[in-house]
């Protein structure tokens, strides 16, 4: 675990939500920021003992439930604020023979103000994100949004550590954002990270964020480290190989806007898709992929006509049908039949109230319309979108009755095709396929094969597809 940044700190350790609490003075301590995102305050034995006594042995009438943290400055004069990550356990000494008197407390939410003043949002000219879990071979740039906004991504690790997960591996710079209610550095940053997670099959995470403004030269103003645990385990598949990453980002950056990621639902859909990287339950992942398609389908359907008949005609038909049904009530004598009739009448009225009888069609119909709209081939995977029946069985019965792994792989292929189609990507990408093994083999083997997008079903492609 390498140190990315360290400071000499002097200040106080205190309860953040009790103004009358007595702070603990700290001087000449080390703040260590590691490449896995962890942040530690290194103190001597005396301060360590004092903090532990304050945290765990201080007698009080009411237990303190707020945050503990530090405030102060570095030797350079930079303002530091940080919150203790976990105060439910005692800290111990560092396992280092040369530092027997040093103790470490883990912190989160580390703020560094280099200029001792608040950075106004309108002044922000550039943000740099330190990223974990993404492999970048060389530096590349792209224009996004209105083409004035730029992103720059580069590797910040050596070749030996490039493939390690859970550690700082790349930096992403965003600049010249024309901010409004929809466009912001934060939105662009999250959208790009979603795309990097999609292509890599890893949960790309932020290790730090550095904001700055443009003066005679670029001066860093404020830095933030969340200090959270990173998701270093992932079983998502790589969609774009590392050498093709620059082309993918440069092409898809053209679609990096509010319309694509919010109105069309791509941002939310990617958020759900990335969640399948960390789940270990195949059925859960299958349902999550179904949710991804339903999110995109819902947003797509909202932009098209959803009714079969004009409102006036529909209301007249509803009135006559309900009046006709009501006439039968007086002719029912049997108590049980009457009870069932009442249930039926309520069900019919609710259906009319919800307008379900006047909707364009079923989920299958609307999904097919969406796939056709985006020119996404699906017949080689699910000719009649059979995954919908599998989804219903899992939801209602808890059991699919099929080889769920195979269906999950196929559904993942379909979801990726939809993503690439919405992004209007043109180039190579990876799909999962079943490797033919001996018939006596109990388990199937899956591998990745390279295809080109837009994906066109051909005899050759069908031979390669599940």
């Amino acid at each position: 675990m390498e140190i990315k940044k360290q400071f000499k700190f002097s200040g106080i350790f205190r309860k953040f939500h009790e103004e009358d609490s007595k702070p603990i003075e700290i001087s000449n301590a080390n703040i260590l920021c590691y490449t896995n995102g962890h942040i530690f305050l290194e103190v001597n034995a005396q301060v360590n003992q004092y903090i532990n006594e304050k945290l765990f042995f201080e007698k009080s009438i009411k237990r303190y439930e707020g945050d503990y943290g530090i405030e102060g400055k570095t030797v350079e004069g930079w303002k530091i604020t940080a919150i203790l990550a976990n105060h439910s356990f005692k800290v111990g000494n560092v396992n280092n023979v040369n530092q027997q008197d040093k103790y470490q407390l883990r912190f989160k939410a580390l703020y560094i103000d280099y200029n001792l003043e608040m950075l106004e949002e309108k002044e922000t000219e550039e943000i740099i994100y330190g990223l974990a879990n993404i492999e970048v071979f060389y530096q590349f740039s792209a224009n996004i949004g209105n083409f004035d906004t730029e992103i720059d991504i580069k590797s910040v690790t050596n070749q030996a550590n490039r493939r390690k997960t859970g550690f700082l591996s790349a930096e992403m710079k965003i600049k010249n954002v024309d901010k409004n209610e929809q466009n912001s550095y934060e939105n662009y940053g999250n959208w790009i990270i979603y795309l990097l997670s999609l292509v890599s099959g890893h949960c790309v995470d932020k290790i730090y964020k550095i904001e700055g403004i443009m003066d005679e030269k670029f001066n860093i103003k404020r830095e933030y480290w969340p200090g959270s645990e990173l998701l270093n385990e992932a079983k998502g598949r790589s969609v774009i190989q590392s050498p093709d990453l620059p082309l993918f980002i440069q092409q898809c950056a053209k679609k990096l806007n509010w319309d694509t990621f919010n109105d069309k639902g791509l941002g939310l859909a990617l958020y759900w898709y990335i969640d399948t990287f960390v789940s270990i339950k195949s059925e859960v992942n299958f349902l999550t992929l179904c949710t991804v398609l339903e999110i995109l389908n819902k947003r797509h359907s909202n932009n098209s006509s959803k009714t079969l008949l004009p409102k006036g005609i529909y209301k007249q038909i509803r009135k006559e049908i309900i009046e006709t049904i009501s006439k039968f009530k007086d002719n029912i004598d049997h108590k049980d039949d009457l009870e069932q009739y009442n249930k039926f009448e309520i069900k019919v009225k609710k259906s009319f109230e919800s307008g379900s009888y006047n909707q364009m069609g079923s989920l299958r119909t609307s999904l097919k319309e969406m796939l056709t709209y985006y020119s996404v081939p699906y017949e080689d995977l699910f000719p009649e979108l059979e995954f919908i029946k599998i989804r219903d069985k899992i939801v209602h019965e808890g059991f699919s009755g099929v080889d769920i792994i195979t269906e999950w792989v196929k559904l993942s292929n379909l979801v990726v095709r939809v993503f690439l189609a919405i992004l209007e990507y043109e180039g190579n990408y990876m799909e999962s396929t079943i490797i033919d093994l001996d018939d006596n083999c109990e388990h199937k083997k899956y591998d990745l094969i390279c295809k080109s997008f837009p994906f066109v079903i051909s005899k050759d492609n069908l031979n390669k597809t599940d």
Side-chain angles (χ1 to χ4, degrees), residues 404-419:
I404 195 62
I405 300 293
T406 298
E407 302 303 321
W408 168 29
V409 169
K410 291 163 56 181
L411 188 57
S412 180
N413 285 342
L414 178 60
V415 167
V416 167
R417 291 182 191 178
V418 177
F419 286 154

Side-chain angles (χ1 to χ4, degrees), residues 122-230:
K122 64 182 180 180
E123 293 178 322
T124 303
E125 294 287 345
E126 178 177 288
I127 287 186
I128 297 174
Y129 292 101
L131 303 178
N133 304 335
I134 181 67
E135 184 180 21
V136 178
F137 280 102
Y138 51 86
Q139 183 171 344
F140 65 92
S141 302
N143 294 100
I144 59 179
N146 59 8
F147 301 105
D148 290 329
T149 303
E150 300 176 24
I151 60 171
D152 184 86
I153 300 177
K154 65 179 181 179
S155 174
V156 291
T157 186
N158 56 47
Q159 187 171 359
N161 295 328
R162 185 182 289 154
R163 292 181 176 273
K164 289 185 178 179
T165 58
F167 291 87
L168 176 69
S169 57
E171 275 190 348
M172 176 177 68
K173 181 190 299 182
I174 307 176
K175 58 185 179 181
N176 301 330
V177 171
D178 181 17
K179 296 180 295 299
N180 54 42
E181 292 182 359
Q182 297 178 346
N183 296 330
S184 69
Y185 284 95
E186 201 67 28
N187 279 340
Y188 281 131
N190 288 334
W191 294 340
I192 298 170
I193 288 172
Y194 287 161
L195 292 181
L196 293 175
S197 299
L198 165 68
V199 302
S200 66
H202 292 277
C203 300
V204 177
D205 211 341
K206 303 173 189 173
I207 294 217
Y208 55 80
K209 178 176 72 172
I210 305 173
E211 298 175 84
I213 63 169
M214 189 72 71
D215 198 359
E216 293 181 359
K217 60 179 181 178
F218 202 85
N219 295 313
I220 293 173
K221 291 269 302 220
R222 188 170 61 195
E223 187 167 344
Y224 169 66
W225 289 63
S228 57
E229 293 282 355
L230 300 180

Side-chain angles (χ1 to χ4, degrees), residues 169-332:
S169 57
E171 275 190 348
M172 176 177 68
K173 181 190 299 182
I174 307 176
K175 58 185 179 181
N176 301 330
V177 171
D178 181 17
K179 296 180 295 299
N180 54 42
E181 292 182 359
Q182 297 178 346
N183 296 330
S184 69
Y185 284 95
E186 201 67 28
N187 279 340
Y188 281 131
N190 288 334
W191 294 340
I192 298 170
I193 288 172
Y194 287 161
L195 292 181
L196 293 175
S197 299
L198 165 68
V199 302
S200 66
H202 292 277
C203 300
V204 177
D205 211 341
K206 303 173 189 173
I207 294 217
Y208 55 80
K209 178 176 72 172
I210 305 173
E211 298 175 84
I213 63 169
M214 189 72 71
D215 198 359
E216 293 181 359
K217 60 179 181 178
F218 202 85
N219 295 313
I220 293 173
K221 291 269 302 220
R222 188 170 61 195
E223 187 167 344
Y224 169 66
W225 289 63
S228 57
E229 293 282 355
L230 300 180
L231 295 172
N232 58 4
E233 294 294 333
K235 58 184 179 64
R237 64 180 173 89
S238 173
V239 172
I240 303 293
Q241 293 178 311
S242 295
D244 294 323
L245 177 61
L247 174 64
F248 176 85
I249 294 296
Q250 288 162 358
Q251 283 193 14
C252 297
K254 300 173 185 177
K255 303 293 291 184
L256 210 67
N257 52 50
W258 188 259
D259 173 67
T260 302
F261 279 79
N262 185 77
D263 297 344
K264 292 182 179 179
L266 185 61
L268 182 59
L270 283 168
Y271 175 84
W272 277 80
Y273 173 79
I274 295 166
D275 198 51
T276 64
F277 297 173
V278 294
S279 174
I280 61 173
K281 192 73 173 175
S282 301
E283 287 80 2
V284 172
N285 284 331
F286 186 88
L287 292 177
T288 301
L289 293 176
C290 290
T291 302
V292 168
L293 288 177
E294 292 195 44
I295 289 170
L296 296 172
N297 182 57
K298 176 68 174 177
R299 299 295 180 91
H300 176 74
S301 299
N302 285 344
N303 296 324
S304 59
S305 176
K306 297 182 290 185
T307 58
L308 293 167
L309 298 174
K311 202 170 187 180
I313 297 176
Y314 177 72
K315 283 185 175 181
Q316 183 63 32
I317 293 174
R318 178 184 64 184
K319 178 182 176 183
E320 293 187 12
I321 288 178
I322 290 178
E323 287 178 353
T324 301
I325 292 175
S326 300
K327 293 177 182 178
F328 284 87
K329 186 172 184 178
D330 297 334
N331 299 324
I332 299 176

Side-chain angles (χ1 to χ4, degrees), residues 41-87:
L41 175 69
E42 192 176 74
V43 297
N44 59 36
Q46 184 179 2
V47 173
N48 173 67
Q49 182 179 0
Y50 191 13
I51 289 175
N52 274 305
E53 288 176 353
K54 293 289 287 184
L55 287 177
F56 306 106
F57 301 107
E58 183 183 50
K59 294 182 179 179
S60 62
I61 298 175
K62 184 179 179 182
R63 178 180 174 83
Y64 177 64
E65 297 180 352
D67 291 320
Y68 294 87
I70 56 172
E71 288 181 329
K73 295 182 180 180
T74 68
V75 293
E76 297 87 354
W78 304 331
K79 184 179 178 181
I80 297 287
T81 305
I83 298 172
L84 192 64
N86 189 336
H87 53 263

Side-chain angles (χ1 to χ4, degrees), residues 6-13 24-32 40-45 47-48 51 70 73-76 80 102-105 107:
Q6 64 181 21
F7 315 96
K8 281 289 185 182
F9 168 83
S10 295
I12 59 173
F13 180 95
I24 301 170
E25 296 287 340
I26 299 175
S27 62
N28 207 33
N30 287 320
I31 292 180
L32 308 174
F40 290 94
L41 175 69
E42 192 176 74
V43 297
N44 59 36
V47 173
N48 173 67
I51 289 175
I70 56 172
K73 295 182 180 180
T74 68
V75 293
E76 297 87 354
I80 297 287
K102 299 296 183 181
Y103 293 76
Q104 288 189 345
L105 291 84
F107 281 78

